[in-house]
């Protein structure tokens, strides 16, 4: 009976937004899945070099391009349209992360080499996915080196192990040489974008990055400044997201409006899961709430591999644990469902955003479009929250239809000139503001048939029983 009731609720909820209210266009906001190539999955053990099974050793585990390609269904199913790969260039055999570069002109053999790299790019492009590669600034022969790189603790720990020097990207000769190298790389493999983890203050990506690709600047330290990238992360925003969503009842930073790359962790930061564990919170719920916030952002986001299965760590190499596809399926299912809903309504990102409430972990935001407005209700508090959503002139005769949970707010659910929305703790709902409508008679008739048939079945079974039968 309970399953039947749930089924009927889903049927009735499904009527709330018709297919005609979803825009046909596709959103162009990048949804990036960042991958440490060696730490994802080993698709071909035949190219293993210096591989260990010791999870405490900063050595290769055997992950490769084929392992990523074999799981593009999994990655795309969660809504990611862009792969951001750790460096893919020829590197030292005992280096797993890829920044101990030996040659920028060769693709790492342990990852599968040039052919496997091209196969991965081609497979991604066939799915309308893009591939971004993180560009090291590790000095090789011919580059003038940087005297004082700015490194956080994780970077320092890693670079001390590989004893690396860095390219001075404010040096004109270095800029020209690096740009030519990067352009050749992009042209040869049809790479869609390049990222860079910045270690030098005051650089301008326009002087050393190639043309024709999207560029991302990952800024790990607040003392660093950079320009010229298509999008940059903001270290204070990264810290704020990790802090806000690690537990409940904390102020949530407003979505940026300048194209900032949003992320809660990267491969040179503590894992987001670590923050939740330190707060004695269930990581799955924390990750789901963070994801709802990120996916509702009309700009690029980066989501590190394994966050969806709560990989944890705060030092080298434990921030880069082996990927595990077979845990925390509930979180993966939630992300897939969230993506499914938002992908049907890409027009929600076409207009302006207004914050209706942002108080102690309760974040409510209206998305204004030329067709259907949307309202994000993100309750990241420890209690059930009410919020009055003002009814504007264009809302007259309309209702709020919940697309994630299925909450329906009709004209009878008003408090004065506002809809009264009630949301349980640690939940998120996305409403579409649509024309008021009654229940679909077809669904009602179907419900009567289902419940009526079930009642008749129970009555017939009862009649067959004889007094005294067990």
């Amino acid at each position: 009976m309970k399953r039947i009731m749930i089924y009927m609720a889903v049927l009735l909820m499904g009527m709330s937004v018709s297919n005609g209210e979803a825009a046909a266009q596709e959103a162009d906001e990048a949804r990036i899945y960042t991958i440490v190539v060696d730490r994802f999955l080993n698709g071909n053990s035949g190219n293993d070099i210096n591989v260990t099974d010791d999870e405490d050793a900063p050595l290769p585990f055997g992950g490769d391009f084929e392992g990523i390609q074999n799981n593009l269904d999994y990655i795309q199913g969660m809504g990611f349209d862009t792969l951001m790969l750790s460096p893919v260039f020829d590197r030292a055999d005992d280096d797993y992360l890829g920044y101990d570069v030996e040659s920028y002109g060769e693709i790492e053999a342990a990852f599968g080499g040039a052919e496997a790299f091209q196969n991965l790019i081609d497979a991604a492009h066939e799915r309308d996915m893009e591939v971004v590669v993180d560009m090291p600034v590790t000095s090789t022969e011919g580059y003038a080196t940087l005297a004082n790189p700015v490194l956080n603790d994780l970077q320092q720990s890693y670079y001390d192990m590989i004893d690396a020097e860095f390219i001075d990207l404010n040096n004109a000769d270095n800029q020209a040489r690096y740009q030519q190298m990067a352009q050749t790389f992009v042209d040869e493999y049809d790479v869609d974008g390049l990222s860079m983890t910045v270690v030098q203050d005051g650089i301008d990506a326009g002087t050393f990055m190639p043309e024709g690709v999207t560029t991302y600047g990952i800024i790990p330290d607040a003392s660093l400044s950079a320009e010229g990238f298509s999008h940059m992360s903001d270290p204070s925003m990264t810290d704020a997201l990790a802090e806000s969503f690690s537990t409940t009842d904390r102020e949530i930073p407003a979505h940026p409006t300048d194209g900032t790359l949003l992320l809660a962790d990267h491969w040179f930061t503590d894992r987001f899961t670590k923050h939740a564990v330190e707060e004695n919170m269930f990581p799955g719920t924390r990750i789901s709430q963070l994801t709802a916030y990120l996916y509702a952002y009309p700009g690029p986001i980066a989501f590190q591999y394994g966050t969806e299965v709560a990989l944890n760590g705060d030092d080298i190499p434990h921030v880069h644990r082996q990927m595990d596809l077979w845990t925390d399926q509930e979180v993966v299912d939630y992300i897939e469902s969230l993506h499914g809903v938002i992908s049907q309504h890409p027009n929600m990102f076409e207009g302006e955003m207004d914050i209706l409430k942002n108080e102690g972990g309760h974040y409510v935001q209206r998305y204004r479009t030329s067709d259907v407005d949307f309202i994000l209700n993100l309750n990241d508090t420890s209690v059930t929250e009410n919020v009055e959503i003002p009814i504007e002139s264009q809302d007259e005769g309309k209702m709020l239809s919940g697309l994630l949970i299925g909450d329906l707010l009709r004209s009878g659910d008003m408090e004065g000139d506002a809809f009264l929305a009630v949301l349980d703790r640690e939940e998120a709902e996305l409403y579409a503001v649509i024309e008021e409508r009654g229940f679909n008679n077809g669904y009602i008739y179907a419900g009567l048939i289902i419940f009526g048939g079930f009642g008749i079945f129970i009555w017939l079974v009862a009649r067959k029983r004889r007094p005294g039968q067990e």
Side-chain angles (χ1 to χ4, degrees):
M1 177 67 76
K2 183 178 180 181
R3 289 185 179 179
I4 293 175
M5 292 177 68
I6 293 173
Y7 176 68
M8 284 300 301
V10 171
L11 281 177
L12 293 171
M13 181 182 69
M15 71 181 182
S16 58
V17 180
S18 68
N19 290 335
E21 286 160 350
Q25 70 198 68
E26 290 184 357
D28 60 1
E29 293 76 23
R31 299 298 182 246
I32 303 167
Y33 191 73
T34 69
I35 300 175
V36 174
V37 177
D38 177 75
R39 290 302 199 254
F40 198 66
L41 291 173
N42 191 341
N44 182 0
S45 59
N47 55 37
D48 288 358
I49 299 173
N50 206 27
V51 167
T52 181
D53 58 4
D54 181 359
E55 293 191 358
D56 295 323
L59 295 171
F61 284 0
D64 50 31
F65 301 131
E66 190 171 338
I68 299 169
Q69 183 177 338
N70 291 344
N71 289 281
L72 289 179
D73 279 344
Y74 168 79
I75 296 169
Q76 191 173 40
M78 292 186 290
F80 298 105
D81 55 26
T82 304
L83 306 176
M84 181 181 285
L85 307 179
S86 59
V88 301
F89 306 101
D90 181 36
R91 50 147 173 80
D93 288 348
D94 60 352
D95 173 36
Y96 75 91
L97 194 48
Y99 293 92
D100 195 358
V101 178
E102 296 192 337
S103 172
Y104 283 103
E106 302 291 334
I107 302 298
E108 174 54 42
F111 296 158
E115 182 177 359
F117 181 51
Q118 189 65 68
N119 288 342
L120 171 60
I121 293 173
D122 292 344
H125 287 173
E126 287 175 4
R127 297 164 174 270
D128 293 325
M129 300 176 72
E130 296 191 347
V131 177
V132 174
V133 174
D134 200 63
M135 297 295 296
V137 287
T138 312
S139 181
T140 57
E141 186 176 354
Y143 285 105
T145 58
L146 175 67
N148 297 302
V150 179
L151 305 174
N152 65 23
D153 290 343
L154 278 176
Q155 289 173 297
Q156 191 69 60
S157 173
Y158 168 74
Y159 284 115
D160 282 349
M161 288 190 296
I162 66 173
D163 194 26
E165 291 187 305
F166 299 91
I167 300 169
D168 181 359
L169 290 175
N170 282 327
N171 176 287
D173 290 338
N174 283 350
Q175 291 169 349
R177 182 181 177 192
Y178 194 92
Q179 189 173 53
Q180 182 58 53
M181 174 274 294
Q183 189 72 63
T184 299
F185 169 67
V186 165
D187 292 343
E188 182 173 356
Y189 296 102
D190 196 19
V191 172
D192 303 287
L194 301 175
S195 62
M196 177 174 286
T197 306
V198 176
V199 300
Q200 181 178 3
D201 188 42
I203 60 173
D204 179 357
T207 63
F208 57 81
M209 281 292 199
E211 298 179 351
V213 295
T214 305
T215 57
Y216 299 90
I218 311 298
I219 315 296
D221 191 282
S223 66
L224 289 167
S225 64
E227 61 182 25
F229 292 97
S230 307
H231 301 281
M232 290 192 298
S233 70
D234 177 348
S236 62
M237 187 69 169
T238 300
D239 291 344
L241 289 181
E243 177 75 11
S244 295
F245 286 99
S246 64
T247 187
T248 58
D249 304 311
R250 289 184 178 167
E251 196 77 8
I252 295 173
H255 281 146
T257 57
D258 60 357
T260 295
L261 173 64
L262 288 190
L263 58 151
D265 61 4
H266 196 255
W267 43 67
F268 283 121
T269 70
D270 296 342
R271 282 278 182 170
F272 171 73
T273 300
K274 169 183 174 286
H275 298 273
V277 170
E278 287 179 341
E279 297 288 346
N280 295 315
M281 301 296 287
F282 177 60
T285 303
R286 299 290 84 225
I287 294 165
S288 296
Q289 291 289 88
L290 169 67
T291 307
Y293 172 88
L294 291 176
Y295 275 43
Y297 170 55
I301 66 167
F303 191 96
Q304 188 172 186
Y305 86 98
T307 298
E308 72 275 20
V309 294
L311 291 190
N312 196 0
D314 61 357
D315 63 3
I316 300 292
H318 299 108
V319 290
H320 310 127
R321 295 186 184 275
Q322 179 70 47
M323 180 60 186
D324 185 352
L325 291 173
W326 298 277
T327 60
D328 269 332
Q329 186 60 39
E330 185 176 348
V331 176
V332 175
D333 290 344
Y334 177 82
I335 296 174
E336 290 177 346
S337 175
L338 179 68
H339 159 64
V341 166
I342 293 179
S343 66
Q344 293 177 44
H345 306 281
N347 57 321
M348 71 179 278
F349 295 136
E350 73 179 19
E352 296 181 351
M353 303 178 299
D354 290 329
I355 295 177
L356 305 182
K357 181 181 180 181
N358 189 6
E359 184 179 310
H362 193 192
Y363 187 87
V364 185
Q365 182 165 270
R366 183 165 185 144
Y367 300 77
R368 302 182 184 279
T369 82
S370 59
D371 183 16
V372 177
D373 283 8
F374 298 87
I375 296 170
L376 172 68
N377 187 3
L378 180 61
N379 180 12
D380 202 44
T381 76
S382 56
V383 297
T384 297
E385 284 283 351
N386 303 334
V387 61
E388 294 182 7
I389 298 172
I391 296 176
E392 302 181 0
S393 58
Q394 69 270 26
D395 299 338
E396 294 296 335
K398 293 186 177 181
M399 60 183 283
L400 303 189
S401 176
L403 306 177
L404 297 176
I405 301 174
D407 194 16
L408 294 177
L409 300 182
R410 300 176 181 273
S411 56
D413 303 315
M414 294 196 305
E415 186 75 22
D417 293 327
F419 289 104
L420 180 61
V422 182
L423 194 62
D424 286 343
R425 57 172 292 175
E426 298 181 87
E427 283 195 345
E429 179 63 288
L430 178 66
Y431 298 102
V433 184
I434 64 172
E435 296 294 333
E436 179 94 33
R437 64 188 63 174
F439 288 111
N440 185 300
N441 289 336
Y443 288 136
I444 293 176
Y445 296 150
L448 292 174
I449 291 171
I450 291 172
F451 282 109
F454 185 74
I456 292 171
F457 171 75
I458 296 296
W459 178 71
L460 290 173
V461 171
R463 284 203 60 182
K464 287 182 180 181
R465 287 181 172 271
R466 297 286 188 270
Q469 282 186 324
E470 294 182 1

